[in-house]
Amino acid sequence: MSYTEGMLRDGALKGKTILVTGGGTGLGRSMGTYFLKLGANLIITSRKIEVLEKTAKEMEKETGGQVLAVSCDVRDAEQVEHVYNKGLEKFGKIDVVLNNAAGNFISPTERLSTNAFNTVVDIVLKGSANVTMVIGKKWIDAGQAGTFLNIVTTYAWTGSGYVVPSAAAKAGVLAMTRSLAVEWAKYKIRSNAIAPGPFPTEGAWSRLLPGDLVKKFDPAKKVPVGRVGEHQELANIAAYLVSDFSAYVNGEVITIDGGEWLKGAGEFNNLDMIPQEMWDMMEASRGKKQ
Ligand code: HXC
Ligand code: NAP
């Protein structure tokens, strides 16, 4: 048994239709593929239809499941409505929404234009809100149960320099998750979040570690367990949170970062740098005084 293996039993998501925004690439693609393996029907959306269609074909071939690819810019509520209608036409219903689409890049904040700031907030916060509002209202009107799962990150609560629009937007998504978990529970709608630490993807690495930065800043070095994440271990948590096994989990954010954010937070965690010989010397000199 290993963290690179699927965790849930076969058929755990059978009968569910799951919409994954940003589902054509990276983590969205990995989570979507695992949902298909567990028996779900899948709808993937993003702006680039060519990417979505290619991914959908590859996913169907790999899993034997059914994938509907629909282009949608999450910044436009009408396009979200279109995805909902297409999903209904093909699968009869949508049970789960995974808000995974995001935009991000590193920059000193004083160098950001107003449009740069707005672009990230519009995709991450307002985009997730559009999808949540459009589909949440449909579920409420139909008296249908539903589950939202939102991908944030650990700087949603710590904040982080150089990604300020993303940090502000992800904090907003986390607040929305917790707020709706309470407000919409009466409609049988659950809302949870996952906060991943570093998981290598083309999309994230090209924007957060551009050029030579990838050689200078090895993300694994910041992680107490000494490595970056494997997509399957994220997919395992995601599958659990959208499955009925997690029916009593609501308003939660599950961190999966190998202890990374706490390493930065704990006052004395950098004493890791002290070699064993120095601890030996300190212990010996303590002994002498007694
Ligand atoms: C400063 C930048 C910039 C950069 C774009 N802009 N890139 N400013 N530094 N690196 C500015 C532009 O100059 C422009 O402002 C404004 O932002 C909009 O840029 P566009 O290119 O027109 O926007 P758009 O085509 O909508 O593309 C959105 C995008 C792009 C966010 C800029 O990178 C994108 O499509 N990203 C999607 C995928 C993605 O980002 N994946 C990574 C997620 S990783 P002006 O003023 O010039 O008009 C992630 C990880 C979190 O979230 C946690 C990790 C641990
Ligand atoms: P990614 O592959 O770049 O995924 C982002 C996806 O969002 C892309 O498929 C992109 O597709 C889509 N997207 C962007 N703008 C959109 C818009 N306006 N409308 C619809 N779709 C849009 O990067 P990733 O690393 O897998 O990121 C996935 C999620 O994980 C994000 O929420 C990210 O913040 C989060 N996360 C990642 C990491 C990490 O280390 N990788 C860590 C913490 C959190 P199009 O370009 O086709 O639109």
Side-chain angles (χ1 to χ4, degrees):
M1 222 79 85
S2 128
Y3 57 82
T4 57
E5 287 171 42
M7 181 180 80
L8 291 189
R9 66 181 71 159
D10 286 351
L13 299 179
K14 203 165 168 28
K16 288 197 191 293
T17 300
I18 302 178
L19 165 62
V20 181
T21 69
T25 65
L27 301 180
R29 177 182 176 143
S30 298
M31 291 185 278
T33 301
Y34 189 45
F35 298 161
L36 285 164
K37 287 182 181 165
L38 293 171
N41 297 318
L42 196 70
I43 305 165
I44 54 174
T45 73
S46 79
R47 294 164 299 177
K48 300 189 193 91
I49 189 65
E50 333 74 66
V51 174
L52 293 172
E53 282 175 346
K54 183 169 180 287
T55 300
K57 272 202 197 109
E58 289 167 2
M59 284 172 150
E60 286 184 339
K61 198 166 164 215
E62 183 183 346
T63 65
Q66 286 194 73
V67 185
L68 174 67
V70 191
S71 72
C72 167
D73 188 323
V74 291
R75 291 172 282 194
D76 180 346
E78 273 181 25
Q79 292 186 38
V80 178
E81 186 97 25
H82 176 70
V83 173
Y84 178 82
N85 291 334
K86 284 282 179 193
L88 238 56
E89 215 175 282
K90 174 137 177 111
F91 295 121
K93 66 182 173 48
I94 296 174
D95 304 281
V96 173
V97 170
L98 174 52
N99 276 310
N100 165 78
N104 202 357
F105 45 75
I106 49 166
S107 172
T109 308
E110 69 277 16
R111 290 177 184 242
L112 288 174
S113 66
T114 305
N115 189 37
F117 193 96
N118 288 346
T119 298
V120 172
V121 172
D122 283 349
I123 299 170
V124 176
L125 176 55
K126 293 196 201 163
S128 302
N130 277 338
V131 177
T132 302
M133 298 274 283
V134 167
I135 296 183
K137 285 178 191 176
K138 304 279 188 199
W139 284 342
I140 292 165
D141 288 347
Q144 191 201 317
T147 302
F148 288 109
L149 178 59
N150 302 325
I151 304 300
V152 295
T153 187
T154 52
Y155 60 60
W157 56 89
T158 62
S160 174
Y162 303 96
V163 285
V164 167
S166 171
K170 293 285 191 186
V173 173
L174 183 55
M176 181 173 75
T177 307
R178 289 172 166 156
S179 306
L180 290 179
V182 175
E183 188 183 340
W184 283 358
K186 59 179 173 285
Y187 300 122
K188 297 190 169 40
I189 297 173
R190 287 191 299 131
S191 299
N192 288 297
I194 302 177
F199 282 74
T201 65
E202 222 288 297
W205 260 224
S206 63
R207 291 172 177 94
L208 303 177
L209 295 166
D212 271 359
L213 279 191
V214 75
K215 289 183 205 138
K216 291 192 176 121
F217 295 98
D218 176 4
K221 290 210 173 110
K222 289 177 62 211
V223 183
V225 302
R227 64 173 175 86
V228 290
E230 283 283 338
H231 288 207
Q232 184 61 49
E233 50 194 341
L234 176 67
N236 282 339
I237 293 188
Y240 166 69
L241 287 175
V242 302
S243 77
D244 295 335
F245 292 116
S246 62
Y248 203 48
V249 182
N250 188 29
E252 187 52 272
V253 53
I254 298 187
T255 300
I256 175 164
D257 73 342
E260 185 201 35
W261 85 267
L262 283 167
K263 180 173 179 172
E267 183 71 32
F268 291 102
N269 286 343
N270 59 0
L271 297 193
D272 268 352
M273 289 184 301
I274 295 184
Q276 289 304 324
E277 304 75 55
M278 200 178 288
W279 287 117
D280 289 344
M281 276 162 52
M282 285 192 273
E283 196 175 332
S285 66
R286 227 176 40 237
K288 271 182 206 143
K289 278 185 206 141
Q290 280 165 3

